[in-house]
């Protein structure tokens, strides 16, 4: 190149984040050629290192950092001008060694380019259900260890054919160094072809189909008999099922879709998105009985797309991908009996044989299970209900570095969290820690994540509850263990995400967490000061007769409330359909096995019980979900609450609900509770001299409550924060625990 050396520049870039296994180097290669630059790029333990030389080096840096490849996530870039060298051409160099500090990307939905090949009869990938490229496909669920190279993945056993190897070695190809790349000649195989799977679905069968992060149970969502069969066999009477449809156009009759929800539904992460249900007769009535929300998701593996392709009659081209399709599939996690998702072929035959008429598997192993993520748009932005596939192991950036910490979460909807420097890695949803299979999954997840992140934790955080398996596990690890109060952890999770290091007040509203005084907390107003907290106030104490039974049978909470206001003699009459009512009255009279709780979850149950909504719930949180679904226009009972001696007392509101009509009651309860919570926390914020109000806990999954409190606090000039990167329920607990334990003095 006969250009003047004075315009030449050599720049060295060190880039960190999710930059390996995402097609970063071929992208850099193409970009360098486009800018007529010489130099090289390589992967090393810290990320990607690039040296470029030429006249348009600055433009290259700008483009790369502003428009990285789709799956990449750049966390840090160090740019340095260095001395010119005699060199021509641009090369991709061999990986260097070094300590591992980069991350494995999450699994991702099949990309547009791969879809075009999937439906092109001329392509060698035509109708091949395992095609992928550097911009899409499985990652986290098939990777055993770093560095992210084929021998460290579930693809190790498949030897690439010459055609695949040629693409893998061609820097100009989309599959350059695509570790899971495969074709019908050399790659994994499905046990039953897509065409036959569809025939069986159409015939009303229930199928177990192996997917990306585990098996799904699948049936025709428009066939009531098939959906009922699935419910019976799965022993899942009323819990809603998620439904997969072909594309955004196919959702029109089913749900009301706004701009933000459309983007979320169609994102490469392809979560299940909860959307306001429309009245339509298309889906089987027992998909989501009685609920206002429907969980929808779009196809994300090539096999999902092939089913819609067959259903559409194998149309030519890809234009059909945008047109509305009639096929709708129930897609529910194959996790019989509340145990973890089934991922193994033999396990599928053993555990799903009684549920599914047909089992569809393949010979690519799933190394770590990952449920579908569940999300919703709250106040214009996406929020989590369950964080799993396609979001794990994406790092949550912390305000600053803390010592490497492992946090083990709590009991329900558990996750674990591992920190490395200023990054926190929250695991996929593990589940309720009430069975040995889940406990095993819990330990597998810890081991898998520690290996992928190459972290040796120096401290471990756990819940205050001495009887949780997670607590005992923490104490068995032989490193300093730190107990963190449940609601303190909830508030810390929000503070960690938003980098809030100032003093704040916080509302933690959930079902249950052990308090420092060993009583049952769950409606807490706290002063949050990083590693320290003070319980400023709490919701009124309610009696929870018979312990846990009351959490599933709201009528029991209502009976206890009647007793509390001196109307115990009405219990037998009002709850005469429950044989246990008389006995419960005696229990209350004698004050036996009736702990006092400040739980917001139980407050909701009390309201449901008084209004006669779902006296016996078939899954956790069902009654409050139904109550929320009834709200038409929240109304405030002006003298419905009192703030006294640190308690928020809603006795007057609850009394109003006795003999109240259900919809009216739902409106009064939500409207008044929201107003009371806003006033209560605003007073505390004023007294403490802060404007920050942290909001967290499972009750904030209630959309009316969450949006009402946020709006009410903003109207009072305060700054409320709800979690966005973890769910408000106990799925976010581990993040808060890690953040607190990471700051404690030894
Ligand atoms: Zn692709
Ligand atoms: Zn091949
Ligand atoms: Fe909680």
């Amino acid at each position: 190149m006969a250009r003047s050396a004075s315009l030449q520049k050599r720049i060295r870039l060190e880039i960190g984040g999710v930059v390996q296994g995402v097609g970063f180097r071929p992208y850099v290669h193409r970009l360098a050629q486009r800018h007529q630059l010489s130099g090289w790029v390589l992967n090393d333990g810290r990320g990607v290192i690039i040296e470029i030389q030429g006249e348009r080096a600055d433009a290259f840096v700008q483009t790369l950092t502003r428009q990285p490849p789709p799956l990449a996530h750049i966390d840090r870039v160090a740019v340095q001008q260095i001395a010119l060298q005699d060199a021509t051409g641009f090369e991709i160099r061999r990986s260097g060694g070094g300590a591992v500090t980069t991350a494995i990307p999450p699994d991702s939905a099949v990309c547009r380019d791969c879809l075009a090949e999937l439906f092109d009869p001329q392509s060698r990938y035509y109708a091949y259900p395992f095609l992928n490229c550097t911009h899409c496909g499985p990652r986290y669920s098939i990777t055993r260890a770093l560095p992210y190279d084929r021998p460290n993945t579930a693809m190790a056993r498949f030897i690439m054919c010459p055609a695949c190897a040629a693409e893998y070695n061609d820097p100009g190809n989309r599959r350059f160094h695509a570790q899971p790349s495969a074709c019908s000649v050399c790659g994994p195989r499905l046990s039953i072809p897509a065409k036959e799977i569809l025939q069986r679905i159409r015939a009303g069968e229930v199928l177990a189909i192996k997917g990306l992060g585990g098996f799904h149970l699948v049936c025709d969502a428009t066939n009531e008999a098939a959906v009922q069969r699935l419910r019976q066999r799965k022993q899942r009477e009323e819990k809603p099922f998620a439904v997969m449809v072909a594309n955004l156009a196919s959702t029109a009759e089913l749900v009301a879709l706004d701009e933000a929800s459309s983007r979320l539904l169609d994102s490469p992460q392809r979560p299940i998105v909860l959307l306001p249900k429309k009245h339509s007769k298309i889906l089987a009535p027992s998909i989501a009985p009685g609920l206002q929300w429907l969980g929808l998701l779009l196809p994300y593996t090539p096999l999902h797309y092939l089913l819609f392709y067959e259903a559409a009659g194998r149309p030519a081209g890809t234009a059909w991908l945008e047109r509305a399709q009639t096929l709708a599939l129930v897609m529910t996690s194959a996790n019989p009996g509340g145990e973890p998702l089934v991922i193994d072929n033999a396990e599928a035959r053993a555990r799903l044989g009684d549920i599914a008429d047909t089992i569809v598997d393949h010979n690519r192993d799933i190394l770590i299970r990952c449920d579908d993520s569940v999300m919703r748009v709250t106040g214009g932005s996406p929020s989590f209900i369950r964080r799993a596939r396609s979001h794990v192991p994406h790092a949550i950036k912390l305000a600053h570095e803390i010592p490497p910490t492992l946090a083990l979460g709590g009991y329900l909807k558990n996750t674990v969290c591992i920190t490395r420097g200023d990054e926190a890695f929250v695991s996929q949803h593990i589940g309720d820690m009430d069975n040995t299979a889940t406990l095993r999954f819990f330990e597998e997840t810890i081991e898998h994540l520690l290996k992928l992140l190459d972290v040796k934790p120096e401290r471990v955080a756990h819940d205050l509850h001495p009887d949780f398996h997670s607590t005992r596990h923490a104490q068995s690890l032989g490193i300093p263990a730190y107990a963190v109060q449940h609601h303190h952890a909830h508030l810390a999770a929000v503070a960690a995400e938003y980098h809030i290091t100032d003093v704040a007040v916080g509302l933690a509203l959930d079902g249950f967490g052990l308090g420092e005084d060993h009583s049952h907390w769950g409606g807490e107003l706290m002063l949050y000061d990083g590693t320290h907290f003070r319980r400023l106030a709490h919701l009124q104490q309610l009696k929870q007769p018979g312990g846990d039974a009351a959490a599933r049978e709201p009528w029991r909470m209502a009976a206890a409330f009647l007793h509390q206001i001196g109307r115990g003699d009405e219990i037998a009459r009002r709850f005469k359909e429950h044989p246990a009512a008389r006995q419960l009255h005696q229990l209350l009279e004698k004050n036996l096995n009736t702990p006092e709780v400040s739980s917001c979850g139980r407050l909701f149950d009390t309201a449901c019980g008084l209004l006669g909504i779902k006296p016996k719930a078939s899954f956790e949180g069902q009654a409050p979900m139904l109550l929320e679904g009834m709200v038409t226009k929240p109304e405030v009972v002006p003298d419905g609450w009192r703030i006294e001696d640190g308690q928020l007392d809603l006795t007057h509101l609850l009394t109003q609900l006795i003999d109240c009509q259900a919809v009216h009651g739902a409106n009064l309860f939500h409207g008044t509770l929201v107003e009371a919570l806003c006033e209560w926390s605003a007073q505390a914020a004023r007294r403490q001299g802060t404007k920050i109000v942290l909001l967290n806990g499972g009750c904030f999954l209630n959309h009316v409550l969450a949006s009402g409190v946020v709006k009410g606090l903003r109207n009072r000039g305060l700054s409320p924060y709800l979690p966005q990167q973890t769910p408000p329920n106990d799925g976010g607990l581990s993040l808060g625990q890690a953040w607190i334990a990471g700051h404690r003095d030894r």
Side-chain angles (χ1 to χ4, degrees), residues 13 15 31 60-68 74 77 79:
L13 292 111
I15 302 178
L31 203 61
F60 169 94
V61 175
Q62 270 197 7
T63 312
L64 182 67
T65 49
R66 283 185 194 164
Q67 298 158 11
I74 296 178
V77 190
V79 184

Side-chain angles (χ1 to χ4, degrees), residues 486-487 490 510-512 697-698 729-730 733:
H486 189 101
H487 304 97
H490 270 313
D510 66 2
F512 165 73
N729 60 30
D730 291 358
L733 217 54

